[in-house]
Amino acid sequence: MIKKYSIKKLLDQHNLFLNKKVIVEGWVRSFRNYMFISLNDGSTIKNIQIVVSSSEKLKKNFLKQITIGTSLHVIGIITNSIGKEQVIELQSDLIKIYGKVDHLLFQQSILQPKQHSLEKLRTQTHLRFRTKVFSCVMRIRHHIAFSIHKYFNENGFFYIHTPIITTSNAEGAGNMFQVTTLDLKHIPWTHDKIIDYQKDFFKCKTYLGVSGQLEAEAASLALGKVYTFGPVFRAENSNTSRHLSEFWMIEPEIAFYHLEENMNLAEEFLKYIIQYIIEHCVDDLYFLTNYMSKNEEQSLLKQLESLLTINFEKISYTESIDILNKSIHNNKVNFVHPVVWGMDLQSEHEQYLVNKYFKNPIIIFDYPCDIKAFYMKMNNDEKTVRAMDILFPKVGEIIGGSQREERYDILITRMKKHNINKQLLYWYLDTRRFGSVPHSGFGLGFDRLVQFISGMQNIRDVIPFPKTPNHAS
Ligand code: 4AD
Ligand code: MG
C-alpha cells in the first residue's frame, strides 16, 4: 500500500524516501509552466516540488484548474532534484484535485502572491493561516506551548485546570467581563432596586476569570508544585501592541518557595523555552528574520541565543527609581510621567531600563505595597511587598509574580485595605488556617512570549483570532 507522509518528513528524511512511491497532500503555493507545482501542507515552511508527468501534461483542461491555493492529492516517486532550490522532488503519477479556488474571491483575498501588510492579513484571520509569516508564528506558538508542558513535567509540576467562570473579582488584575444568562431586555430587580442575581444562571454574579492564581495556590498547598495554562479575560480598554482582551497565561505556584527561588525558577524556565525553540524552529526563525530584516539589526536567532548567555539583572523597585532619577538628573533621558517613589512604573520607564540602561531582561522586585495586589507578602519595612516583574526588550512586562502572604492576620488586614469581600474568599483564607506555608508563583503572558520569540511587532499577529476592545468578530 502506498503511504502518505507530511512534507516535513519527506524533506527532513529524504534519503529514506529516494525512489519510493508516496502520497502527499497540500495546497498549491505556485505552478510554473504547467510543469512544476510547489506544494505546502503546513507541516513546515518549506514546499515540495511536484513535477507533472508527461502523460498528465496532455490533460491541459485539468491542469488549468490548478491555481494558487488549490488543494491536491498527489501520488508519485521521490527522486533527486537537479534544480538548485531543492534536494528532492516528486515525479507525479497521479494528481487529484480536492478543492478548486474561486478566481473572483481570490483577487480580493490575502492569498494573492504579493506582500500584504500584517494589518491587511488581520482582516482575513481565517485565511492568514495559509500565509508563510502566520504559519511560521503558529508553528512557533505550538512549540512554545509544548516546551512549557515539557519543562513542568520534567520538573515535577502538576497541570491544574483552574476554572474560567468565577465569582470573585478580587484579584485586582483588571476589569472583568460579566457572565450572565439574564435577559438584558427584562432585567429582574429586587425590592431594593438592585439586579436580582438569584434569578441568574448560577444564582449569583459571575465573571470570566482574569487569572487562575488563587485556585492554583489552593492546589499547590497540597500537591507542592502546580501550574495552570489557560485563557484569561480582561476588559481593560488598552489598545496597545501588547494587550489582548482574551489571552493565555501560565501560572506556576510552588509551596515552600521564597521570592529568590521564584525569580530563579522564572529565569530558568524562560531560558529553557527559548533554548527549545532555537533547537526546534530554526527554519521558521530564519524566515521571520528575513521577513523583518528591514528594521532589525540582529537576526532573531542571534537575539535569542545571546539571551541564553546572560544572567537577568535583579534590581529592587527602589533601585530602579534611583536609576531613573539619576538618568534624568544627568540629562540622559526625559519622561512624560514624573518619577517618584510609590508610583507604578510606566511603560516609558520600563522601556528605558530594559532597552537603554541594561539592554537586557531585568527582574524588578519589592514593589510598593499600594500598587500591588493584596495577596503579595508584606516585607518587614511595611512599605513594600515581595513582588517581582520580569521585563523583556520590546514587549516589556512578560512575567508578574510574587511570594504570597501566608500569614492569616496580615492577609486579613490587606484584604480590608483593598476592600475585598472576605466571605467570597473564605476558601482562600482557609488555606492560611490549615497548615499555611510560605509559597510563591508567577504569571507568564503566553502571547507576549510568542511575540518576543517570533519578533512580531503586534500581539494581534501571534494569536489565531485576536480579541481586543471593539473587536470580537
Ligand atoms: O501581571 P499579571 O496581571 O499577574 C497576574 O495575573 C498574577 N495572578 C500572576 C501570578 O502571580 N500567578 O499578569 C501576568 C502576565 C503579565 O506579566 C503579562 O505578560 C500578561 O500576563 N498580560 C497580558 N498579556 C496580554 N494582554 C493583556 N491584556 C495582558 N495583561 C497581562
Ligand atoms: Mg503585572
Side-chain angles (χ1 to χ4, degrees):
M1 212 182 65
I2 312 167
K3 276 178 77 175
K4 178 161 75 184
Y5 296 96
S6 72
I7 291 173
K8 178 171 171 46
K9 189 163 175 102
L10 292 174
L11 296 180
D12 282 356
Q13 303 175 21
H14 52 88
N15 281 332
L16 280 183
F17 294 104
L18 269 184
N19 305 318
K20 295 233 164 75
K21 195 176 254 196
V22 299
I23 300 172
V24 289
E25 294 176 327
W27 296 268
V28 174
R29 274 271 157 86
S30 70
F31 189 16
R32 285 184 292 129
N33 307 334
Y34 291 115
M35 185 145 182
F36 301 110
I37 300 171
S38 266
L39 200 72
N40 187 276
D41 65 359
S43 61
T44 159
I45 178 83
K46 293 181 181 153
N47 307 322
I48 195 162
Q49 171 153 289
I50 314 281
V51 184
V52 177
S53 68
S54 30
S55 61
E56 255 158 341
K57 252 183 266 163
L58 301 174
K59 306 184 212 154
K60 271 265 151 61
N61 281 339
F62 171 74
L63 292 182
K64 271 190 186 141
Q65 298 172 22
I66 299 178
T67 57
I68 294 174
T70 307
S71 48
L72 299 181
H73 167 97
V74 185
I75 300 178
I77 295 187
I78 299 283
T79 60
N80 280 317
S81 174
I82 36 172
K84 276 190 236 120
E85 303 270 304
Q86 60 278 320
V87 181
I88 55 161
E89 57 196 18
L90 190 97
Q91 304 286 340
S92 79
D93 273 356
L94 175 107
I95 300 178
K96 206 171 89 186
I97 294 178
Y98 277 127
K100 288 182 268 186
V101 169
D102 182 313
H103 286 289
L104 280 176
L105 287 178
F106 181 75
Q107 299 303 324
Q108 293 142 29
S109 84
I110 56 168
L111 299 182
Q112 269 213 327
K114 61 176 193 190
Q115 185 100 16
H116 302 281
S117 71
L118 291 165
E119 287 81 4
K120 177 85 194 281
L121 299 193
R122 261 177 245 148
T123 63
Q124 298 177 20
T125 41
H126 59 300
L127 292 180
R128 69 177 175 165
F129 291 105
R130 292 271 195 96
T131 62
K132 283 187 182 166
V133 58
F134 199 70
S135 70
C136 280
V137 175
M138 285 300 102
R139 279 186 292 270
I140 290 175
R141 189 176 166 104
H142 158 79
H143 284 290
I144 295 175
F146 180 76
S147 69
I148 287 169
H149 287 298
K150 188 167 184 301
Y151 175 87
F152 285 132
N153 188 51
E154 284 168 4
N155 287 280
F157 285 72
F158 299 109
Y159 181 24
I160 298 291
H161 297 104
T162 48
I164 288 171
I165 296 175
T166 171
T167 54
S168 87
N169 60 352
E171 243 225 77
N175 293 334
M176 303 181 85
F177 292 101
Q178 202 178 325
V179 175
T180 181
T181 53
L182 290 179
D183 179 352
L184 297 185
K185 283 197 200 115
H186 307 281
I187 293 172
W189 301 97
T190 64
H191 295 306
D192 314 332
K193 293 273 174 271
I194 48 176
I195 295 173
D196 186 3
Y197 284 107
Q198 281 296 317
K199 304 246 163 63
D200 204 347
F201 189 87
F202 294 108
K203 288 193 184 305
C204 64
K205 205 171 174 183
T206 50
Y207 310 86
L208 293 178
V210 293
S211 150
Q213 177 199 322
L214 303 189
E215 291 88 350
E217 280 188 55
S220 81
L221 295 174
L223 293 158
K225 297 189 200 178
V226 301
Y227 71 105
T228 73
F229 190 161
V232 291
F233 307 86
R234 295 192 184 178
E236 313 156 76
N237 195 11
S238 303
N239 266 301
T240 79
S241 59
R242 40 189 215 110
H243 284 90
L244 292 165
S245 311
E246 172 182 274
F247 62 98
W248 288 70
M249 188 149 66
I250 297 101
E251 296 183 278
E253 193 66 38
I254 313 98
F256 309 104
Y257 234 51
H258 296 84
L259 184 69
E260 189 71 21
E261 295 167 290
N262 198 31
M263 294 194 278
N264 293 340
L265 170 74
E267 179 171 347
E268 181 189 287
F269 171 55
L270 287 169
K271 286 179 173 168
Y272 177 94
I273 300 167
I274 291 171
Q275 175 76 47
Y276 186 90
I277 295 306
I278 292 173
E279 283 166 17
H280 292 84
C281 301
V282 182
D283 290 342
D284 290 326
L285 289 173
Y286 271 139
F287 175 84
L288 290 173
T289 293
N290 288 332
Y291 182 83
M292 286 172 292
S293 59
K294 285 145 251 155
N295 40 18
E296 293 286 325
E297 67 268 26
Q298 217 191 6
S299 88
L300 219 46
L301 207 56
K302 284 225 178 70
Q303 285 174 33
L304 296 177
E305 276 165 353
S306 79
L307 203 136
L308 297 180
T309 62
I310 49 130
N311 293 324
F312 298 0
E313 195 83 39
K314 295 188 180 97
I315 55 164
S316 72
Y317 169 88
T318 304
E319 283 171 293
S320 74
I321 293 290
D322 287 348
I323 292 173
L324 293 173
N325 273 326
K326 276 194 194 122
S327 299
I328 297 172
H329 187 77
N330 297 335
N331 287 326
K332 291 219 173 90
V333 63
N334 263 320
F335 296 118
V336 178
H337 302 88
V339 175
V340 270
W341 196 98
M343 64 159 196
D344 216 349
L345 294 178
Q346 301 297 316
S347 101
E348 57 171 343
H349 306 129
E350 295 182 346
Q351 274 173 25
Y352 174 76
L353 290 168
V354 179
N355 298 335
K356 297 263 163 59
Y357 193 88
F358 288 103
K359 298 196 175 76
N360 273 319
I362 56 173
I363 309 183
I364 303 184
F365 61 93
D366 283 354
Y367 281 77
C369 58
D370 291 339
I371 56 169
K372 287 291 183 188
F374 74 95
Y375 51 71
M376 299 191 178
K377 183 174 173 119
M378 186 62 90
N379 276 313
N380 290 337
D381 64 9
E382 294 192 5
K383 280 199 228 122
T384 57
V385 284
R386 304 246 74 193
M388 65 108 170
D389 277 1
I390 301 191
L391 312 183
F392 259 29
K394 290 184 278 190
V395 293
E397 183 196 324
I398 200 155
I399 277 182
S402 75
Q403 184 166 337
R404 317 305 189 191
E405 185 54 78
E406 84 276 20
R407 298 161 295 185
Y408 180 81
D409 295 337
I410 298 178
L411 190 58
I412 286 277
T413 318
R414 293 272 291 152
M415 284 171 82
K416 261 197 205 125
K417 236 184 151 178
H418 280 80
N419 270 328
I420 283 160
N421 185 333
K422 276 195 309 197
Q423 269 78 44
L424 272 181
L425 279 189
Y426 76 94
W427 60 272
Y428 185 71
L429 284 162
D430 259 7
T431 60
R432 273 63 171 172
R433 286 189 281 208
F434 295 94
S436 190
V437 303
H439 61 287
S440 303
F442 59 82
L444 165 66
F446 180 66
D447 311 274
R448 285 201 190 158
L449 181 63
V450 180
Q451 195 187 348
F452 174 77
I453 291 180
S454 65
M456 299 302 279
Q457 310 273 332
N458 197 311
I459 199 164
R460 296 162 207 211
D461 297 326
V462 305
I463 184 163
F465 300 100
K467 306 285 181 248
T468 50
N470 306 321
H471 191 101
S473 63

